[in-house]
Amino acid sequence: QITLKETGPTLVKPTQTVTLTCTFSGFSLTTDRVGVMWIRQPPGKALEWLALIYWDDDKRYSPSLRGRLTISKDTLKNQVVLTLTNTDPADTGTYFCARLYQGLDTWGQGTLVTVSS
Amino acid sequence: QSVLTQPPSVSAASGQKVTISCSGSNSNIGENHVSWYQQFPGTAPKLVIYDDEKRPSAIPHRFSGSKSDTSATLDITGLQTGDEADYYCGAWDSSLSAVVFGGGTKLTVL
């Protein structure tokens, strides 16, 4: 059974850096063509892609957030970490991680991050 | 403004068929695979179609996907009240080097 779970702070102040961790099980991020993606969803709004890391450590970032995002993986811990710097209230939303294999075939439950002073 | 365009809402009667469209361009739908996701309020999205038309094993045959040129379509037949959800299309955009999603379509089963 494949599972993913997002953890991180629920409340951050503007300009702070938020670090989110995706801990997964049931698959390995060393397997060919497998990736882990981060997606966020502001309250009542659409999905927004943030970043993607592949099994071979290839990394891709949303052009609109490039420079503020960093994605990394720890294959021994089965974790993918996303950091977002210089946060703003517009970064408030639910952050999901998902496995990319045949589409985004498995998602975590999401974690709500609120950026507010 | 989403790169992929979906109607904000669609509706159809229980038991009937509904079609949800997703319009893009050559750099996304035109040359890359499309996936579709179902999302109930307060929950994570769930994959219902990948690679334009393939269905995960747990997804009923009532769900089908297709693609033509720069547009993709999700069809749901035999509508049930349990199908009421938001549906999103997504694809890789080769020009943007980014994953792009549609704005989502709210399905109402009458």
Side-chain angles (χ1 to χ4, degrees):
Chain A
Q1 181 189 6
I2 295 171
T3 65
L4 302 96
K5 185 175 182 179
E6 307 86 350
T7 53
T10 57
L11 179 64
V12 298
K13 297 186 187 308
T15 76
Q16 288 185 337
T17 294
V18 60
T19 298
L20 300 172
T21 301
C22 175
T23 303
F24 58 87
S25 64
F27 70 96
S28 173
L29 203 37
T30 60
T31 303
D32 279 8
R33 301 189 297 120
V34 171
V36 171
M37 191 177 293
W38 283 95
I39 304 101
R40 72 180 179 183
Q41 186 171 37
K45 296 188 177 181
L47 303 173
E48 178 186 10
W49 174 66
L50 298 177
L52 164 63
I53 189 165
Y54 286 103
W55 83 99
D56 61 356
D57 210 38
D58 185 15
K59 302 166 187 175
R60 307 295 175 94
Y61 296 100
S62 166
S64 62
L65 291 167
R66 196 182 304 275
R68 295 178 55 206
L69 289 170
T70 303
I71 191 170
S72 62
K73 62 181 173 68
D74 185 327
T75 52
L76 294 179
K77 292 183 178 179
N78 280 350
Q79 291 181 333
V80 171
V81 175
L82 181 76
T83 60
L84 176 65
T85 61
N86 193 24
T87 55
D88 178 270
D91 296 314
T92 294
T94 298
Y95 286 70
F96 299 98
C97 63
R99 185 182 85 145
L100 174 64
Y101 183 55
Q102 292 173 327
L104 295 170
D105 57 17
T106 312
W107 293 62
Q109 64 189 21
T111 185
L112 177 61
V113 178
T114 301
V115 181
S116 174
S117 55
Chain B
Q1 197 77 331
S2 301
V3 174
L4 303 181
T5 301
Q6 298 181 238
S9 64
V10 295
S11 63
S14 178
Q16 297 303 301
K17 172 185 173 181
V18 72
T19 296
I20 299 174
S21 61
C22 176
S23 178
S25 65
N26 289 328
S27 62
N28 42 65
I29 295 178
E31 60 184 38
N32 296 294
H33 288 306
V34 176
S35 298
W36 289 90
Y37 303 91
Q38 175 191 62
Q39 186 180 34
F40 297 108
T43 70
K46 176 183 178 182
L47 178 69
V48 294
I49 295 289
Y50 68 98
D51 288 356
D52 304 331
E53 59 183 11
K54 297 178 182 177
R55 195 177 44 248
S57 57
I59 302 302
H61 286 66
R62 302 186 296 107
F63 290 80
S64 63
S66 62
K67 187 176 83 172
S68 178
D69 295 328
T70 59
S71 292
T73 297
L74 174 68
D75 289 327
I76 309 173
T77 60
L79 276 172
Q80 304 173 0
T81 55
D83 296 330
E84 281 201 342
D86 293 325
Y87 292 83
Y88 293 91
C89 57
W92 179 257
D93 190 299
S94 304
S95 294
L96 297 174
S97 290
V99 173
V100 291
F101 288 103
T105 298
K106 182 176 180 60
L107 168 62
T108 300
V109 180
L110 304 172

